[in-house]
Amino acid sequence: VIKELCTDNVMRDVHEEAKNNLKANFKETDLFKVFQSGELALIDNDGLLSKQMPSLLAMRNAIYSESFRNLVSKVTGCNDLIERVDCSANAYANSCHLLCHDDVIGTRRVSYVIYLTDPDEPWTDSDGGALELYPILPSTTASEDIATPSAMPSARVLPLFNSMILFAVRPGLSFHSVQEVFTTKPRLSISGWYHGPSPLADASKSSLRQIMSTSSTANNTSEDVTNTPFYRLNHTASSSKSDDKPAVEEFLNPSDVTFLKQFINPLYLKPSYMEDVNLQFCENSSLQLDDFLRADLASAISHSSIE
């Protein structure tokens, strides 16, 4: 836990800019209930929105910076962090929550949360919304390889204004949740993940894989739960091709990319983002792509629709 991450006046500016300018979409699944913005990396540094949120974008750029990434690496002991960072804003309103899980998806290495709750109305225990950390129950057999979190958290961290949480993502170990919010005050934060170059070696122990394995067993199937009916972009289609060549290039050539850039946000056409989107879809069977169309095209379509 890092307390007083920034000077008070800077963080107050970030709080006000996020509260008044960011658009958040309501999302609810079996795991969570939350309002979430799009990926902050998609906000153009020279666009109109950026002029309304200079302090927020300065913080975003700091989160993406090499110097801050080196600090995160030193604090968490994760020494293989790459440039890729996920960053979005989240707002937990009354009754919003996040159930227990370990955050292991794809190449995630470090989870982080920067709390932007109301600086003039401090968060209290009675408000709920605490980050809850869970210990692992002792194995009942020597050969048991599935980690089970305790039903009760061993620690709770309140979402206090101008504080930051960092923890390493560990399959079957980094279990955490967000307690249900009981107050009408919004639990506002910026959060995401720092990534490594490849999935963790013991990813089979993750909570997601355990759920899939349990489902597979319940359905009396012997199918490997890591298999998927969807084609994964990070699997090369031809063994004769170099393993380090982005597999997306096997079916999306430069002329295709040039054509699609007329319509689609260029960020989604980068091989690294396409592979991540594909992985999320393979893992969750659904996804939501914010700001998918080019901003000028989306604006033109919206204007024409109104007319």
Side-chain angles (χ1 to χ4, degrees):
V1 179
I2 301 176
K3 298 180 180 178
E4 297 184 2
L5 178 66
C6 298
T7 58
D8 184 78
N9 61 322
V10 168
M11 194 60 85
R12 282 176 178 268
D13 288 342
V14 174
H15 168 81
E16 288 298 319
E17 291 171 6
K19 183 177 67 174
N20 296 322
N21 296 290
L22 285 179
K23 177 183 178 182
N25 298 308
F26 178 68
K27 298 182 178 181
E28 184 173 16
T29 69
D30 292 341
L31 181 65
F32 57 79
K33 179 180 179 181
V34 66
F35 291 84
Q36 187 176 65
S37 75
E39 176 65 41
L40 297 187
L42 297 174
I43 299 177
D44 187 351
N45 283 319
D46 299 321
L48 176 60
L49 189 58
S50 66
K51 293 180 174 58
Q52 298 171 339
M53 301 187 299
S55 297
L56 176 61
L57 293 194
M59 173 170 286
R60 179 202 67 178
N61 294 339
I63 291 171
Y64 291 157
S65 70
E66 181 179 5
S67 59
F68 198 82
R69 188 167 66 250
N70 290 338
L71 173 63
V72 171
S73 179
K74 183 176 181 179
V75 169
T76 61
C78 296
N79 299 317
D80 62 343
L81 302 183
I82 60 175
E83 291 184 358
R84 181 185 165 196
V85 182
D86 299 328
C87 184
S88 63
N90 294 274
Y92 286 76
N94 183 269
S95 79
C96 286
H97 59 271
L98 173 63
L99 299 183
C100 184
H101 65 295
D102 62 11
D103 258 6
V104 178
I105 292 181
T107 58
R108 294 175 181 175
R109 288 291 191 278
V110 176
S111 297
Y112 71 90
V113 186
I114 299 173
Y115 293 116
L116 299 173
T117 48
D118 193 332
D120 298 317
E121 192 173 355
W123 205 270
T124 65
D125 287 324
S126 62
D127 293 328
L131 176 69
E132 300 179 314
L133 307 176
Y134 293 82
I136 304 302
L137 295 177
S139 298
T140 56
T141 64
S143 60
E144 188 174 354
D145 195 35
I146 298 179
T148 303
S150 169
M152 297 297 293
S154 58
R156 287 188 173 92
V157 181
L158 288 180
L160 300 179
F161 173 73
N162 198 10
S163 64
M164 182 177 190
I165 294 287
L166 289 165
F167 61 87
V169 173
R170 294 288 184 264
L173 292 174
S174 53
F175 287 108
H176 62 285
S177 67
V178 174
Q179 180 189 23
E180 181 180 351
V181 174
F182 305 131
T183 181
T184 57
K185 297 183 297 187
R187 181 189 185 276
L188 183 61
S189 66
I190 292 175
S191 62
W193 299 272
Y194 287 86
H195 287 257
S198 59
L200 293 164
D202 52 352
S204 61
K205 298 179 182 180
S206 69
S207 55
L208 176 61
R209 293 292 180 87
Q210 290 180 33
I211 292 171
M212 294 171 66
S213 177
T214 302
S215 175
S216 178
T217 302
N219 291 326
N220 297 317
T221 175
S222 60
E223 180 183 2
D224 182 353
V225 297
T226 62
N227 289 339
T228 172
F230 306 113
Y231 176 73
R232 290 180 182 258
L233 296 180
N234 57 345
H235 290 177
T236 55
S238 172
S239 59
S240 64
K241 296 190 177 183
S242 172
D243 289 340
D244 60 2
K245 180 180 180 181
V248 65
E249 294 180 359
E250 296 177 3
F251 59 88
L252 198 62
N253 59 45
S255 62
D256 293 328
V257 173
T258 299
F259 174 77
L260 292 173
K261 280 184 177 179
Q262 300 177 79
F263 313 101
I264 298 174
N265 187 330
L267 189 62
Y268 285 118
L269 297 175
K270 292 183 177 181
S272 60
Y273 269 79
M274 294 188 70
E275 290 181 8
D276 179 54
V277 166
N278 171 256
L279 177 61
Q280 291 186 42
F281 182 75
C282 290
E283 296 284 3
N284 302 318
S285 299
S286 65
L287 53 83
Q288 178 175 317
L289 302 179
D290 296 303
D291 299 317
F292 181 69
L293 296 177
R294 287 170 52 103
D296 56 343
L297 179 60
S299 177
I301 292 175
S302 177
H303 183 70
S304 298
S305 300
I306 294 174
E307 290 182 343

